[in-house]
Amino acid sequence: DTTDHLNFWRNFAPGARNRRTDLRYIYLNGGPYNGWDTWGASPGSRAVNYIRNSRMLGMMPFFVFYNIPDGSESYELDLAHAQDPVYMTAYFRNLKLFLDIVRRESPDDLVGVVLEPDFLGYLAQNAGKPAAEIRAATRTAYDTGVLDSSDPRFPDTVQGLVQAINRTISKHAPQVYFGWQMNLWASPAGGFTTPIPGRGVIRITDDLGIERGRTALRREAAAITQYYLDAGIASYGAQFVSIDKYGLDAVGSESGAAQNPAGSIWFWNNDHWNNYLAFVEVMRSTSGLPVILWQLPVGRINRTMEENPYQASGRFEDLANTHQRYEDSAPVFFLGDTFTTCLL
């Protein structure tokens, strides 16, 4: 919500320069003590301003509510917080503050929320047991009064915690469109029958070929999705699931990826992107919920011939592969691109 960012969206140019989009998103993170609700002139003003400016711009505000971790994150830290009654008491009060802001600032317009990225992924990958068997301080939802005797009594497990969070949202701000974020790397114990390569499940076809690789990938996607469903993510009004790619453009996340894309984890070609969509297809069929593709990078591939309406040359300059100027293949795959033929 800086002046430069808002002015970007206010530049309602015609034609190919039009910047109209349906939604934008921001993180509400940092934990319930010195996190997002302290980053402004008044408690929660980060969310207040974002909703108000989004509505004035005709855009739907989405928030990534990411507060089971605080200053850092890991399996051990997230689990410790989820099991700590003091921390989770503050967490539910913090969640209620956010929902009160939504109800006040946007009583009849959609607000979207992506819940707790990586939290359940860490558990799936490391806990060795389902969410229903992992202890959590769910009772703090009732101790704070966020839930009461009129609500179902959820158990003191991670499954109960997920259900309590969903119930809290649907009870206090029913206009919120919310869902849980899933992870491509969240391999549950016994979830796959084919070893996942070190470069990630999306590159499993590099070694196994398309047919065998996609079969293994679909099994893995079903196992991951089922772990999250068993954890309660689809309960009490949840309306979607989301899936990550990675938070950085591929070349920015890996040195040498532009020179050796075949050895990269995140610089994907057409086969890998189709693997990603096959993974998403299984998520959709297994969960029965729409899938949001979350945190897709924006960098393009160099030597593009795609029209650039902002340059007199009509073309994009090559990216220098420096900070905020990295290459990535996501826009090429989803939005199309044009390149000249190179004969070797």
Side-chain angles (χ1 to χ4, degrees), residues 32-223:
Y33 294 119
N34 297 297
W36 67 273
D37 60 313
T38 67
W39 302 339
S42 59
S45 59
R46 178 175 174 85
V48 172
N49 295 335
Y50 204 75
I51 292 173
R52 289 179 181 178
N53 286 322
S54 297
R55 295 184 73 182
M56 286 190 289
L57 290 164
M59 300 166 75
M60 293 177 285
F62 262 62
F63 296 96
V64 181
F65 195 85
Y66 195 11
N67 291 289
I68 288 179
D70 46 9
S72 62
E73 63 166 348
S74 67
Y75 163 66
E76 292 79 9
L77 179 70
D78 284 17
L79 182 60
H81 282 175
Q83 294 178 340
D84 182 352
V86 175
Y87 190 92
M88 293 310 298
T89 293
Y91 177 93
F92 275 104
R93 287 174 177 160
N94 188 259
L95 176 59
K96 179 62 161 51
L97 169 67
F98 167 61
L99 298 174
D100 288 344
I101 289 170
V102 171
R103 193 173 63 251
R104 183 179 70 247
E105 297 294 333
S106 189
D108 53 6
D109 284 343
L110 184 144
V111 172
V113 178
V114 175
L115 286 165
E116 298 301 341
D118 303 343
F119 169 55
L120 293 174
Y122 284 136
L123 299 184
Q125 188 183 61
N126 296 284
K129 60 180 69 173
E133 297 177 12
I134 304 172
R135 183 174 59 85
T138 309
R139 62 188 179 278
T140 55
Y142 306 91
D143 296 341
T144 57
V146 171
L147 297 179
D148 56 34
S149 59
S150 67
D151 299 297
R153 190 75 191 189
F154 301 113
D156 280 330
T157 64
V158 169
Q159 182 193 65
L161 179 62
V162 169
Q163 292 171 327
I165 291 170
N166 286 7
R167 173 63 177 169
T168 298
I169 296 172
S170 59
K171 177 179 180 177
H172 293 287
Q175 74 273 40
V176 168
Y177 181 72
F178 72 94
W180 288 75
Q181 187 257 326
M182 294 171 53
N183 301 98
L184 293 168
W185 45 263
S187 299
F192 55 86
T193 56
T194 303
I196 303 302
R199 288 170 292 153
V201 67
I202 297 301
R203 285 184 170 268
I204 198 169
T205 54
D206 293 358
D207 300 325
L208 297 182
I210 296 297
E211 185 173 351
R212 288 181 59 214
R214 292 254 170 92
T215 298
L217 177 141
R218 289 188 173 97
R219 286 198 301 264
E220 175 73 355

Side-chain angles (χ1 to χ4, degrees), residues 232-250:
I233 63 166
S235 63
Y236 296 97
Q239 294 169 279
F240 65 86
V241 290
S242 71
I243 184 66
D244 60 350
K245 194 266 185 179
Y246 191 69
L248 297 172
D249 294 321

Side-chain angles (χ1 to χ4, degrees), residues 184-185 203 245-246 250 253-254 264-268 328-329:
L184 293 168
W185 45 263
R203 285 184 170 268
K245 194 266 185 179
Y246 191 69
S253 62
E254 300 174 294
S264 157
I265 296 175
W266 297 110
F267 207 172
W268 293 351
D328 197 276
S329 58

Side-chain angles (χ1 to χ4, degrees), residues 295-306:
Q295 217 172 31
L296 288 182
V298 297
R300 61 184 179 273
I301 300 294
N302 280 344
R303 301 189 183 181
T304 173
M305 299 301 293
E306 191 72 13

